[in-house]
């Protein structure tokens, strides 16, 4: 696809403007290129081959059907404290490009609290979500909240799977029709 052929641009804007509107544009523009680890001032470009993620990872864990790269604790998206990672299934080649990161936010009440805090922070930072579908499960919120801009999706997920589990996904949209 032409997405794979485009040249990666490692330029990014940081620190951000104090003007909220300009800052929002700067963050979205950076995200079109990759994920910026603000505390290290390193941009990890989308579509970097999995084999090159070892350069950015604090830890790599190969287990069974997948490989996980833990990028460590970093500040992303205007100072959000994050423990971001990348996961690759065993049947995907190491030469394939990665297109999204994820972070486990926690279980049950603790996860729900972080999920709702990020919903507030990202709504303030990025604008109203493009998609929101939440339902109550006891005291917790389950469902999804998504912000999209051009090729990028930021998705907060809450599911019930033996417990309420919450995750944050940041990356390229899965397909052109989303």
């Amino acid at each position: 696809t032409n997405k794979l052929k485009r040249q990666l641009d490692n330029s990014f804007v940081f620190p951000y403007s104090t003007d909220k509107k300009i800052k929002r544009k700067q963050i979205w523009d950076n995200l079109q290129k990759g994920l910026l680890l603000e505390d290290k001032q390193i941009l990890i470009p989308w579509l970097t081959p999995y084999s090159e993620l070892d350069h950015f990872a604090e830890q790599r864990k190969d287990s069974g059907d997948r490989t996980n790269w833990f990028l460590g604790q970093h500040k992303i998206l205007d100072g959000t404290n994050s423990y971001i990672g990348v996961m690759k299934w065993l049947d995907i080649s190491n030469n394939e490009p990665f297109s999204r990161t994820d972070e486990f936010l926690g279980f049950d009440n603790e996860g729900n609290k972080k999920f709702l805090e990020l919903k507030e922070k990202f709504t303030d930072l990025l604008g109203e979500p493009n998609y929101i579908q939440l339902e109550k499960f006891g005291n917790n919120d389950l469902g999804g909240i998504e912000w999209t801009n051009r090729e990028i999706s930021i998705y907060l997920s809450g599911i019930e799977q033996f417990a309420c589990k919450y995750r944050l996904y940041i990356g390229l949209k899965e397909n052109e029709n989303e």
Side-chain angles (χ1 to χ4, degrees):
T1 68
N2 65 355
K3 267 190 188 178
L4 296 176
K5 287 182 186 161
R6 72 176 175 200
Q7 277 302 103
L8 291 169
D9 178 354
N10 282 319
S11 63
F12 56 87
V13 176
F14 191 80
Y16 306 118
S17 172
T18 55
D19 180 291
K20 197 171 185 169
K21 231 173 133 171
I22 295 171
K23 179 193 289 187
R24 183 175 289 172
K25 182 184 181 326
Q26 290 170 334
I27 289 172
W28 279 120
D29 287 350
N30 284 346
L31 281 167
Q32 300 307 313
K33 300 169 186 178
L35 184 68
L36 178 61
L37 307 179
E38 295 166 351
D39 53 318
K40 297 270 190 206
Q41 297 199 28
I42 293 172
L43 183 86
I44 302 174
W46 304 120
L47 307 178
T48 295
Y50 285 105
S51 59
E52 293 178 25
L53 288 175
D54 290 343
H55 300 300
F56 302 105
E58 280 189 7
Q59 182 187 3
R60 174 185 168 154
K61 187 177 172 198
D62 297 285
S63 59
D65 61 354
R66 72 192 74 180
T67 300
N68 285 292
W69 286 268
F70 299 99
L71 304 181
Q73 180 180 357
H74 293 288
K75 301 282 186 203
I76 62 169
L77 302 176
D78 198 30
T80 302
N81 201 27
S82 177
Y83 296 89
I84 212 93
V86 175
M87 192 272 290
K88 178 189 80 66
W89 295 107
L90 190 60
D91 62 345
I92 296 173
S93 162
N94 278 330
N95 297 323
E96 288 291 313
F98 96 102
S99 61
R100 79 175 184 179
T101 62
D102 71 283
E103 177 182 0
F104 180 66
L105 301 174
F107 293 107
D108 298 327
N109 296 339
E110 174 197 321
N112 187 66
K113 182 174 181 270
K114 188 147 188 200
F115 176 84
L116 294 176
E117 285 170 359
L118 289 177
K119 174 185 180 258
E120 292 305 312
K121 172 157 182 144
F122 293 163
T123 298
D124 184 54
L125 186 65
L126 305 169
E128 288 300 316
N130 301 73
Y131 166 88
I132 186 164
Q133 186 172 357
L134 296 176
E135 60 184 64
K136 282 289 184 193
F137 184 83
N139 292 323
N140 293 324
D141 295 89
L142 295 179
I145 306 166
E146 183 176 36
W147 293 262
T148 57
N149 182 297
R150 292 170 276 167
E151 294 188 42
I152 299 303
S153 164
I154 297 174
Y155 189 77
L156 288 168
S157 163
I159 62 168
E160 194 279 319
Q161 183 184 44
F162 310 113
C164 295
K165 298 178 180 177
Y166 298 90
R167 296 193 90 79
L168 165 64
Y169 299 97
I170 302 171
L172 298 176
K173 290 194 236 171
E174 293 293 305
N175 64 54
E176 293 303 313
N177 301 327
E178 283 186 18

